[in-house]
Amino acid sequence: MKAIIGTLKSYVPEESEESVKERLGIKRLVRLSANENPYGTSPKVREAVLNYIEHYDANLYPDGNASSLRSVLAKYWDVAENQLIIGVGLDEVISMVNTTYITPGDSIVISVPTFSEYALNGLIEGAVIREVPCIYETGHYDFEAMRAAVDDTTRIVWICNPNNPTGIYETIEDIRTFITSLPATTLVIIDEAYIDFVTSCKEPTARKLLDEFPNVCIMRTFSKAYGLANYRVGYMMSSESVTKYIQTIRLPYNVSTIAQVAAEAAFKDELFLKDTIHKNDIERALWEELLQKLEITYYTSEANFVFFSVPNADALADMWLEQGYQVRRGQRPDWLRLTFPATEDGIVMRSILRDYMASL
Ligand SMILES: Cc1ncc(COP(=O)(O)O)c(C=O)c1O
């Protein structure tokens, strides 16, 4: 066994829905701890998957190149097909990037708090993780401090935009200035898992940076706005010189045909995507309004979740859980991350929050 493995804690998955319901004696549990889509999945996905199952057995391996999905994505993004790595969710793509690029002793620079998989996968490969705290007051990345943390051992810098769990969006201008200051040998990976939820500007994506910098990679997932978390499809766009190496370690049949078919159908259903974004916008505004009114400290979210701080946050999380609402704890003491629920649940949850704050 690699020595590092003995020092790592294995991922603790969410307690299963059935187990939580049984433990608390509740009939319904709404999971708002994993930033999934509360509005379900496009009906076009169900149609496409049923159509596929009706016509094909499962005896043959899937198309290892995910050709049809690849072609649709490449056309949409105006990139060559070989600039795409398609994986079993971004989780797999993050793992592949680390396997490909990290040699023990290399360093990785991340802002904290951020998505835990960046550090975990780096550690598995023997990387030194340099954590740079975000600016506490605003939640924004401290790009200057991140630049100072980069040296000639730094193989990867992660930018999660909007960031999980802060929900903070960094502008393309700020990201461009930051990248310009970095060595060209350091990969800058911009994880846009939540970018579809950004509505404060017309073109939030860093797509155009791909053409400007050969060391930029952009990640996207179908798990969030597309409501496809269960099928596990994510992808990365980068220069051919990056993808060609990652392709060599990708497992040959990583993404199942059902997942490929589902992702393609989801990608083409623009109406479902727009509807999800619109509903999220409405709920986000309602939450923000209440957080302000109750004078709760929070970061201005451009995602489908909000990160905020209340006294004795566990007590509030317990109160919500007893009513069937599970939120994410443990990312910072007395801070919680809540995925915006659908309308009716939002009304109930905000009423519980008002009562909780009044009881303090
Ligand atoms: C920022 C970020 N990146 C990547 C992922 C992983 O997404 P996927 O479901 O595509 O593996 C998540 C999941 O929560 C995430 O929050």
Side-chain angles (χ1 to χ4, degrees):
M1 186 189 71
K2 289 184 187 175
I4 184 72
I5 301 295
T7 71
L8 299 174
K9 287 198 207 98
S10 61
Y11 179 73
V12 182
E14 298 276 340
E15 185 179 355
S16 79
E17 188 179 334
E18 285 319 307
S19 154
V20 177
K21 288 200 287 201
E22 204 180 302
R23 182 164 61 78
L24 296 172
I26 52 177
K27 289 209 164 59
R28 176 173 176 258
L29 179 72
V30 183
R31 190 161 69 187
L32 302 163
S33 54
N35 301 335
E36 294 146 315
N37 189 329
Y39 309 107
T41 309
S42 156
K44 297 272 167 53
V45 167
R46 177 181 294 266
E47 219 174 276
V49 168
L50 287 176
N51 183 49
Y52 170 74
I53 293 170
E54 211 178 312
H55 290 92
Y56 294 94
D57 280 336
N59 57 320
L60 301 182
Y61 288 111
D63 169 4
N65 192 42
S67 308
S68 182
L69 176 62
R70 179 180 297 275
S71 152
V72 168
L73 293 173
K75 272 200 192 85
Y76 180 86
W77 289 113
D78 190 21
V79 293
E81 293 193 5
N82 61 3
Q83 284 183 270
L84 287 165
I85 293 287
I86 304 178
V88 181
L90 279 185
D91 284 346
E92 193 201 21
V93 186
I94 293 167
S95 163
M96 287 193 277
V97 170
N98 279 283
T99 306
T100 307
Y101 279 93
I102 298 300
T103 302
D106 285 346
S107 67
I108 292 177
V109 172
I110 59 172
S111 174
V112 285
T114 196
F115 186 48
S116 58
E117 294 292 309
Y118 309 146
L120 177 66
N121 283 282
L123 285 173
I124 291 169
E125 302 302 332
V128 174
I129 310 297
R130 298 195 179 143
E131 299 185 341
V132 179
C134 72
I135 299 164
Y136 188 86
E137 292 72 26
T138 61
H140 276 277
Y141 274 34
D142 187 342
F143 282 123
E144 219 170 285
M146 287 175 76
R147 172 64 192 95
V150 172
D151 61 20
D152 57 10
T153 68
T154 309
R155 290 282 79 77
I156 303 175
V157 175
W158 286 95
I159 301 177
C160 183
N161 200 34
N163 183 49
N164 173 10
T166 56
I168 292 289
Y169 173 73
E170 305 296 346
T171 66
I172 302 309
E173 269 321 299
D174 286 350
I175 294 175
R176 180 187 281 114
T177 307
F178 174 60
I179 297 172
T180 308
S181 76
L182 298 176
T185 47
T186 301
L187 284 187
V188 182
I189 310 187
I190 306 170
D191 181 345
E192 296 192 336
Y194 300 99
I195 199 91
D196 297 300
F197 298 109
V198 178
T199 52
S200 63
C201 62
K202 258 198 175 147
E203 216 185 304
T205 176
R207 160 66 188 87
K208 60 184 167 210
L209 299 186
L210 264 189
D211 302 330
E212 298 173 30
F213 303 96
N215 53 333
V216 162
C217 310
I218 298 179
M219 290 186 163
R220 291 272 180 151
T221 179
F222 284 93
S223 299
K224 309 298 177 183
Y226 290 94
L228 218 62
N230 196 298
Y231 285 146
R232 315 300 300 121
V233 188
Y235 60 99
M236 185 171 91
M237 298 179 264
S238 56
S239 64
E240 288 167 31
S241 58
V242 171
T243 50
K244 99 173 164 213
Y245 294 121
I246 299 178
Q247 282 292 6
T248 62
I249 59 112
R250 183 178 62 77
L251 295 179
Y253 305 114
N254 58 339
V255 182
S256 76
T257 309
I258 291 184
Q260 294 178 31
V261 163
E264 191 174 332
F267 196 70
K268 287 177 175 168
D269 190 351
E270 283 178 27
L271 265 184
F272 178 85
L273 182 70
K274 277 195 182 138
D275 188 54
T276 290
I277 294 166
H278 178 62
K279 286 171 172 157
N280 185 69
D281 256 356
I282 293 171
E283 296 307 313
R284 187 166 58 194
L286 290 170
W287 277 95
E288 203 162 299
E289 190 184 46
L290 182 63
L291 292 169
Q292 277 173 19
K293 200 165 145 201
L294 297 176
E295 295 180 0
I296 290 172
T297 303
Y298 73 99
Y299 291 139
T300 308
S301 170
E302 302 224 25
N304 64 338
F305 54 83
V306 66
F307 195 46
F308 62 96
S309 173
V310 292
N312 198 7
D314 270 337
L316 172 62
D318 286 340
M319 240 165 130
W320 271 334
L321 192 57
E322 279 156 23
Q323 300 301 316
Y325 299 111
Q326 188 176 34
V327 300
R328 181 67 198 262
R329 332 173 183 214
Q331 290 170 308
R332 201 189 248 176
D334 279 335
W335 285 67
L336 299 174
R337 192 195 66 200
L338 157 88
T339 310
F340 300 122
T343 312
E344 293 304 315
D345 292 319
I347 292 168
V348 178
M349 287 186 84
R350 285 193 296 275
S351 157
I352 295 171
L353 177 59
R354 271 189 220 99
D355 291 348
Y356 179 78
M357 294 306 284
S359 74
L360 293 176

